[in-house]
Amino acid sequence: QKEVEQDPGPLSVPEGAIVSLNCTYSNSAFQYFMWYRQYSRKGPELLMYTYSSGNKEDGRFTAQVDKSSKYISLFIRDSQPSDSATYLCAMSGYSNYQLIWGAGTKLIIKP
Amino acid sequence: GAVVSQHPSRVICKSGTSVKIECRSLDFQATTMFWYRQFPKQSLMLMATSNEGSKATYEQGVEKDKFLINHASLTLSTLTVTSAHPEDSSFYICSASQGEREAFFGQGTRLTVV
């Protein structure tokens, strides 16, 4: 079993829809949770970064962490075709900076 | 966010030659840099972690004599693929961190060995 599970998709939704992307994990030591967006043939771009449980909002993006369920989510409101990309979750422990990655979910926003 | 510049973005080399990829943090000092490899439609695979002024720590299965990493300064790390072979063709990505949790990524380098 992988430490971080993420559905690779593709996930296809119409423009304007709310998108929900998720990851589950097995290591209870993870404390830091990130979401990255990667366009084709580009390096990942940090979108959201949260520590421990709770919600964090930044514009159209909301990140949620539920440590009791070992489940994290990224919500995208008012989705746009430019949001079409692969979204990767990543996480690390308190004393270890090494990121453990999900497989990435390919998101397609249809105009 | 912080800027990490990776160069070149694309390189084609002949089998048996060596290729150097540079990773620079442009507006911050990176105490730690990471090198990743990414195969098509797969997630990032960590190759090695380097701290400025010390030897890189390689992940299991990564040949340190083949993938030479140098982190000579707080703003520059290099990855040299030595005696490249077609199976080394991949997308290589660096990331840099100041020691906080955020890691900022370079644009990636597409290496093709012919």
Side-chain angles (χ1 to χ4, degrees), chain A residues 32 34 36 38 41-44 46 49 88 92-99 101-103, chain B residues 10 32 34 36 38 42-44 46 59 91 93 99 101-108 110:
Chain A
Y32 298 88
M34 296 88 166
Y36 287 85
Q38 185 177 24
R41 298 176 182 268
K42 300 291 184 182
L46 180 64
Y49 161 74
L88 301 109
S92 68
Y94 183 78
S95 58
N96 184 355
Y97 291 165
Q98 180 179 335
L99 292 176
W101 294 86
Chain B
R10 187 175 298 184
T32 306
F34 304 88
Y36 294 86
Q38 188 175 31
Q42 294 188 29
S43 188
L44 300 167
L46 179 66
E59 294 300 299
F91 193 56
I93 307 174
R101 294 297 156 168
E102 295 97 331
F104 299 95
F105 284 79
Q107 305 93 320
R110 170 124 355 242

Side-chain angles (χ1 to χ4, degrees), chain A residues 41-93:
Chain A
R41 298 176 182 268
K42 300 291 184 182
E45 169 194 12
L46 180 64
L47 279 179
M48 301 287 285
Y49 161 74
T50 54
Y51 170 71
S52 194
S53 286
N55 294 0
K56 188 173 184 178
E57 187 174 322
D58 184 2
R60 296 185 296 114
F61 298 91
T62 300
Q64 284 186 354
V65 175
D66 182 348
K67 291 190 69 182
S68 62
S69 302
K70 297 189 179 67
Y71 188 88
I72 68 171
S73 301
L74 176 71
F75 297 96
I76 307 174
R77 292 184 298 279
D78 187 25
S79 57
Q80 305 293 313
S82 58
D83 294 328
S84 299
T86 295
Y87 290 79
L88 301 109
C89 64
M91 47 199 80
S92 68

Side-chain angles (χ1 to χ4, degrees), chain B residues 12-112:
Chain B
I12 301 173
C13 72
K14 291 184 177 180
S15 186
T17 62
S18 295
V19 173
K20 180 183 284 188
I21 303 170
E22 290 189 350
C23 182
R24 292 181 184 273
S25 55
L26 298 185
D27 52 2
F28 68 101
Q29 293 186 325
T31 52
T32 306
M33 285 190 172
F34 304 88
W35 286 95
Y36 294 86
R37 185 172 178 176
Q38 188 175 31
F39 294 98
K41 300 187 179 183
Q42 294 188 29
S43 188
L44 300 167
M45 182 190 79
L46 179 66
M47 297 174 66
T49 304
S50 72
N51 294 293
E52 186 265 339
S54 61
K55 289 184 179 180
T57 301
Y58 290 81
E59 294 300 299
Q60 192 172 9
V62 178
E63 298 176 61
K64 59 183 178 182
D65 293 331
K66 181 168 187 60
F67 298 99
L68 301 178
I69 292 172
N70 184 289
H71 192 166
S73 76
L74 285 171
T75 59
L76 174 65
S77 177
T78 60
L79 167 68
T80 302
V81 183
T82 62
S83 187
H85 290 281
E87 57 265 30
D88 298 325
S89 299
S90 190
F91 193 56
Y92 293 87
I93 307 174
C94 70
S95 73
S97 170
Q98 288 178 288
E100 299 165 357
R101 294 297 156 168
E102 295 97 331
F104 299 95
F105 284 79
Q107 305 93 320
T109 298
R110 170 124 355 242
L111 170 64
T112 304

